Amino acid sequence: MNRADRGRPAQGGGRIATFAFVVFSPALAVASTLQPPPDPSAARGPFAAAPSPAYPLAWLPVFNWSDSPVLLDLHQSGGFNDNILNSAPGRTPKASAVSRTEVGALGRLSLGPQRFFAQARIAATDFLDDKSASRHDRQFDLGWDWRAGRNCAGRLAAAASDKQAEAEQASGPGLDTLRLRGVDQEGRCALYGALGALFAAGAASRRHTALAARALDADAVYGKLGLDYDVSTRDHAEIFARAARTRFLEGRDASALPRDAVKTDLEAAYRRVFSSALQARAALGASQAPGPGDGRPRQVGTYGAELVFAPSDLWRAVLAASRALGPPVSIRAAAQIAETQSLTVSWRASPKLAFTASVARLRLEGGPPAAGLYGGSTLTAVAGKAVYQLTPFTSLSASVQRVERRLSGGRVPTTVAMIGVDFKPY
């Protein structure tokens, strides 16, 4: 059962990867203190007395930090952004040096077959040349990986975040903070042999701080039922139906658009592992939602495909494409079509040095835009990243990303280059 296809309604296409990368920070000093002290008994011979158990740090040489119930990670990065305000076509973009500090915490607890986790992440982004554009992003997640008897298992999760809209989420020019809240329940119960029942349900809310984008603010609930069939470790097939109801909060009364929109999906998917070097997944489906203009229901064919090629431990390539109907991202409508294509290539040049390069394209359907909204657009993103592992916990990184949005009125390019250091003991 593919988690990526369960749990949350489509958000108008896949996310284009945005890279956050880090500059030198106190994390290096912290990492150096985690090295175990030398064992003095090694110099006293085999008959030397064992260290006193009262030694307060006697557990350090044998403690595995990644097994700690609470884990902290630190990220510090610095670089340059040549369009910090997401300027509209025809306007001179504003550039600035940027610093990003990020702190995360992960907690885990196991009670028999039940697994619980909690995660929090806070990031401060500061622009040297425009303090008004600086922001603080927050994200919190709670989850329970549950198991009921021998046949049923799943995950109950809740998430809350306040983040600056990324390139594919931006509804218009200027700064826009997205406030997302959601709870999801997904699971599978074995029915007979390899046949299993899939089920999911949840609720979500989306809020914008940009005034023009508040016409897209909405609450949604959804449910999903389906079947899957694990023929072997190499084959997996599933079919499911999903229904979602979205209620838009404002800006609809004076238009022909419905305040409430119901979207239904039917999809069948198949995954095949051909060998350790090659696997593929394909999905076909149909979605129905109110159309633009008069709001009459329209049907849209959907698809998804992914090909993973890993000829060795050093190389990995992922080619993906999809077409989906989801909540509107940049137009004033009940739903919006998003088409994505992407290619990601990873290469591990040595045990300590790795490179990743990617190119992605996202096309958002045109439609009736409101004032201040972009309308239909096409985004192209090209990115590269290099990571050097200094210690098992600490790594240096350098990255560059260029995103270009093409609109009827012109184009909006943005280039971000970052270097930094990450401390992550897990």
Side-chain angles (χ1 to χ4, degrees), residues 167-192:
E168 75 277 13
Q169 298 173 314
S171 57
L175 300 178
D176 183 18
T177 299
L178 285 180
R179 182 182 182 187
L180 304 176
R181 304 289 186 267
V183 59
D184 300 283
Q185 163 61 58
E186 57 182 27
R188 178 187 189 272
C189 288
L191 296 178
Y192 179 77

Side-chain angles (χ1 to χ4, degrees), residues 313-316 345-350 353-357 385:
D313 294 337
L314 304 180
W315 288 93
R316 178 183 174 89
V345 178
S346 302
W347 174 44
R348 182 168 290 279
S350 72
L353 182 62
F355 298 92
T356 302
K385 179 181 179 181

Side-chain angles (χ1 to χ4, degrees), residues 130-151:
D130 190 344
K131 298 296 184 182
S132 65
S134 300
R135 64 181 187 269
H136 291 83
D137 296 340
R138 297 173 291 274
Q139 181 172 349
F140 303 94
D141 299 275
L142 293 172
W144 171 24
D145 290 324
W146 56 266
R147 179 170 292 277
R150 300 178 57 184
N151 295 330

Side-chain angles (χ1 to χ4, degrees), residues 79-212:
F80 183 78
N81 185 329
D82 69 356
N83 188 5
I84 64 174
L85 299 178
N86 188 31
S87 298
R91 293 196 175 187
T92 303
K94 187 169 189 177
S96 176
V98 58
S99 172
R100 182 176 175 87
T101 304
E102 188 172 343
V103 180
L106 172 65
R108 302 170 297 181
L109 175 65
S110 297
L111 298 176
Q114 314 302 325
R115 304 286 188 270
F116 302 89
F117 67 88
Q119 187 169 11
R121 189 163 299 279
I122 299 175
T125 303
D126 296 300
F127 294 99
L128 180 64
D129 301 305
D130 190 344
K131 298 296 184 182
S132 65
S134 300
R135 64 181 187 269
H136 291 83
D137 296 340
R138 297 173 291 274
Q139 181 172 349
F140 303 94
D141 299 275
L142 293 172
W144 171 24
D145 290 324
W146 56 266
R147 179 170 292 277
R150 300 178 57 184
N151 295 330
C152 294
R155 168 173 287 191
L156 175 63
S161 66
D162 295 288
K163 291 183 175 183
Q164 181 66 27
E166 298 179 16
E168 75 277 13
Q169 298 173 314
S171 57
L175 300 178
D176 183 18
T177 299
L178 285 180
R179 182 182 182 187
L180 304 176
R181 304 289 186 267
V183 59
D184 300 283
Q185 163 61 58
E186 57 182 27
R188 178 187 189 272
C189 288
L191 296 178
Y192 179 77
L195 185 66
L198 308 176
F199 54 92
S205 71
R206 180 186 183 98
R207 302 290 186 271
H208 295 259
T209 58
L211 184 61

